[in-house]
Amino acid sequence: MKIENKFPTKDISEEDLKTKFPLVAKKNPTHQSKFEVAGVEFGGNLIPIFAGPNMVESRDLIFDVAINVKKNGAHFLRGGAFKPLTFPYRSEKYTETREEGIKWLNEVKKEIKIPIITEIMEEKFIPLISEVTDIIQIGSRNMQNYPFLTACAKTGKPIMLKRHYGASLRDWLGAAEYILYEGNKKVILCERGVSVPHTHRSTSRFLLDLQVIPAAKEVTHLPIVVDPSHATFWRPWVESMSLAGIASGADGVMLEVHPDPKNSAVDPLQPIDFKEFGELVKKMDRVAKASFNRKVIK
Ligand code: PEP
Ligand code: MN
């Protein structure tokens, strides 16, 4: 069938739903994807929480975080061993732990019994990382790397696709369609902040696009997670944006948590500590119950 782009637009048309991303599009108003990853349900009553450091800095750090976030209610441990750092220069502290970091994630997963989400950046590392991770994270910078999306999709692993900070909802759903097109149905979207002229603080880089949650829910059945840590880049704002994310209908929350935020090897302004995380989980649970009769605590 020849498809013509009759009405190209940055917003989503009826034609797009039928011809550009039919697999991502809702088939009826109540259509919502529900699936389990490591025994945790997505798209249902529970709102899963992913928590952990920005980077898998060391074996000790990842064990400490895993124990503490699990105890405080996280469903998944997050953390990058392979990191898309904005600039190529690395101090010793800033250096990715790469294959070694993946080995620590595997150890922590088995010993502490917490499932893992971690980013893959290059196709050559797909076999190594997909062996260990429960969810493949595709970072915002790779959102439109289509051959890479296809290669990740082919593993059959659940995939979380972060929105690029300059992408429209239409572009984001188009990218998700590449994954579903390979027969991989376990796709989670993640809103992590967009680039705008004003972010209300010189240290803020992005603005959390809460409006994209109800907008996405009008057109797609895929679950959508919010990441207030990367969006705000500012620890004092993480709590309010997490609660607002849940009140906006988010199906999950990704949070950076570090035992000593100021000394995080990467992005030290954004992680919250264990105590703040524990309190936030309880508050998110209350907002989830009050707004959608859902829950954060299993
Ligand atoms: C991350 O989650 O660590 C990350 C690098 O996110 P993003 O791709 O949204 O910048
Ligand atoms: Mn990060």
Side-chain angles (χ1 to χ4, degrees):
M1 184 176 63
K2 189 163 167 272
I3 299 168
E4 282 175 42
N5 202 357
K6 284 192 212 120
F7 308 107
T9 162
K10 72 180 169 58
D11 293 324
I12 294 164
S13 68
E14 285 298 321
E15 188 199 350
D16 290 338
L17 298 174
K18 293 193 196 99
T19 62
K20 302 288 195 298
F21 33 83
L23 303 173
V24 157
K26 272 180 144 164
K27 303 222 178 342
N28 60 62
T30 60
H31 183 195
Q32 166 68 50
S33 264
K34 281 190 191 161
F35 51 84
E36 270 194 19
V37 182
V40 180
E41 195 188 37
F42 283 84
N45 214 14
L46 182 75
I47 299 178
I49 307 299
F50 310 84
N54 191 311
M55 183 155 83
V56 181
E57 295 172 31
S58 68
R59 192 179 185 279
D60 284 352
L61 176 103
I62 203 67
F63 268 78
D64 186 22
V65 177
I67 292 164
N68 282 285
V69 296
K70 185 180 173 182
K71 195 166 75 192
N72 283 299
H75 306 92
F76 289 84
L77 176 68
R78 68 141 278 145
F82 292 86
K83 290 293 310 168
L85 298 168
T86 307
F87 305 103
Y89 308 105
R90 310 269 201 269
S91 65
E92 206 184 309
K93 194 178 170 195
Y94 219 68
T95 302
E96 296 168 283
T97 49
R98 300 174 73 87
E99 288 92 336
E100 212 175 10
I102 297 298
K103 194 182 89 200
W104 298 330
L105 283 173
N106 196 26
E107 289 170 6
V108 84
K109 168 178 163 158
K110 291 193 174 132
E111 285 182 38
I112 310 301
K113 302 203 178 354
I114 182 165
I116 304 289
I117 174 166
T118 197
E119 177 163 356
I120 307 184
M121 287 173 53
E122 289 174 80
E123 200 167 328
K124 67 180 179 200
F125 292 111
I126 292 175
L128 173 85
I129 304 173
S130 60
E131 194 60 35
V132 170
T133 198
D134 294 279
I135 303 176
I136 294 174
Q137 175 172 324
I138 298 181
S140 52
R141 288 148 184 94
N142 263 321
M143 186 198 92
Q144 287 182 309
N145 183 346
Y146 303 120
F148 180 66
L149 300 182
T150 299
C152 287
K154 283 184 172 154
T155 62
K157 283 260 161 186
I159 293 179
M160 187 174 87
L161 180 65
K162 294 190 96 173
R163 178 189 185 187
H164 186 270
Y165 35 86
S168 63
L169 174 58
R170 187 174 188 260
D171 288 347
W172 190 15
L173 296 182
E177 186 81 6
Y178 272 87
I179 303 171
L180 289 158
Y181 185 77
E182 295 304 321
N184 190 331
K185 294 196 171 74
K186 295 190 175 182
V187 177
I188 302 159
L189 301 169
C190 177
E191 158 57 29
R192 47 78 71 216
V194 290
S195 269
V196 291
H198 299 283
T199 51
H200 319 299
R201 247 193 97 80
S202 57
T203 51
S204 298
R205 294 196 292 176
F206 306 107
L207 194 75
L208 186 62
D209 181 7
L210 289 173
Q211 200 163 304
V212 85
I213 304 169
K217 285 184 175 289
E218 276 179 6
V219 291
T220 180
H221 56 89
L222 298 175
I224 174 166
V225 164
V226 279
D227 172 354
S229 304
H230 283 85
T232 63
F233 202 62
W234 186 236
R235 179 184 181 185
W237 296 351
V238 168
E239 175 181 301
S240 52
M241 289 302 98
S242 304
L243 300 176
I246 291 196
S248 307
D251 300 296
V253 182
M254 174 170 263
L255 289 161
E256 278 194 9
V257 181
H258 194 281
D260 182 9
K262 287 189 185 64
N263 284 308
S264 170
V266 184
D267 297 343
L269 299 178
Q270 75 195 25
I272 55 173
D273 65 23
F274 298 147
K275 189 164 167 283
E276 288 167 324
F277 176 67
E279 284 160 9
L280 180 53
V281 167
K282 289 184 208 133
K283 287 187 189 174
M284 289 191 290
D285 190 56
R286 292 206 291 275
V287 172
K289 286 203 171 80
S291 44
F292 292 102
N293 204 18
R294 295 174 85 183
K295 58 187 180 177
V296 166
I297 300 170
K298 250 189 176 177

